[in-house]
Amino acid sequence: MPKERETEIACDNIDKLINIEMRRTGLPRGKKWVLWEVARELSPEPLVLAAARLLNREASDIAIVTGAAVPGHMPVGENDGPFGSVVLATALVRIGHKVTIYTDPDALAPIDMLARRAGLDIEVIALGLGDTAQQTGIAGKHDLFVAIERLGGNRNGVIYGVTGRPHAIALPI
């Protein structure tokens, strides 16, 4: 079997493995796989392989956005996104990319500490919620953006998490 075909099969299996939903009772199930199937129908190759090809490029300026700080629930953010962001940043820096991590102000200190512990000399910057000037500047500065475990707001500024229920905070529009 040609090496390229072996790589494609391995990446397809990784795609399937990382899309297994292991969630506690009460969290929605069955959505992630459907989204993966739709994305896979649109992609000529496994998504993991497509991502690897995208990141295998000349040195670039890459932004990673993470953190999901929710007052009263996750005051300094959730736990897997920051770790995943630092692991990805480590790999990207090692292959020559410049990386900046952006996060909520309350999650800044833990993520910055994780980056330092990993030996990274990168910027970890707090996002000003609703700061469109900062967001415009960030958009113009980087070549590639990656979001890991990041909550998103709708056009009304309401932030939703995995349960689909709005959190008690809203972003100014």
Side-chain angles (χ1 to χ4, degrees), residues 135-165:
Q135 293 167 13
T136 300
I138 292 168
K141 179 180 176 185
H142 302 283
D143 303 312
L144 190 65
F145 294 82
V146 178
I148 301 177
E149 293 285 335
R150 182 76 186 149
L151 296 176
N154 65 17
R155 67 177 144 205
N156 298 316
V158 180
I159 296 175
Y160 293 88
V162 69
T163 62
R165 290 186 224 122

Side-chain angles (χ1 to χ4, degrees), residues 23-169:
R23 298 183 175 214
R24 65 178 167 82
T25 303
L27 291 179
R29 295 174 189 235
K31 306 293 185 205
K32 190 175 179 182
W33 193 263
V34 172
L35 292 172
W36 174 80
E37 286 178 323
V38 169
R40 190 60 181 93
E41 284 178 20
L42 297 173
S43 178
E45 60 188 359
L47 303 180
V48 167
L49 183 56
R53 290 190 203 281
L54 182 65
L55 295 171
N56 184 21
R57 60 196 288 157
E58 290 192 28
S60 298
D61 195 327
I62 300 175
I64 298 175
V65 184
T66 192
V70 179
H73 180 63
M74 295 181 294
V76 292
E78 51 80 43
N79 55 8
D80 43 337
F83 282 101
S85 295
V86 170
V87 168
L88 179 60
T90 301
L92 293 171
V93 167
R94 285 184 181 169
I95 62 173
H97 298 294
K98 180 178 186 251
V99 177
T100 305
I101 296 177
Y102 295 92
T103 190
D104 298 315
D106 293 335
L108 180 77
I111 294 172
D112 190 53
M113 183 273 305
L114 287 170
R116 303 296 151 245
R117 288 275 175 105
L120 291 174
D121 183 21
I122 63 171
E123 286 187 284
V124 180
I125 298 174
L127 289 168
L129 299 179
D131 185 344
T132 54
Q134 181 194 34
Q135 293 167 13
T136 300
I138 292 168
K141 179 180 176 185
H142 302 283
D143 303 312
L144 190 65
F145 294 82
V146 178
I148 301 177
E149 293 285 335
R150 182 76 186 149
L151 296 176
N154 65 17
R155 67 177 144 205
N156 298 316
V158 180
I159 296 175
Y160 293 88
V162 69
T163 62
R165 290 186 224 122
H167 290 288
I169 58 176

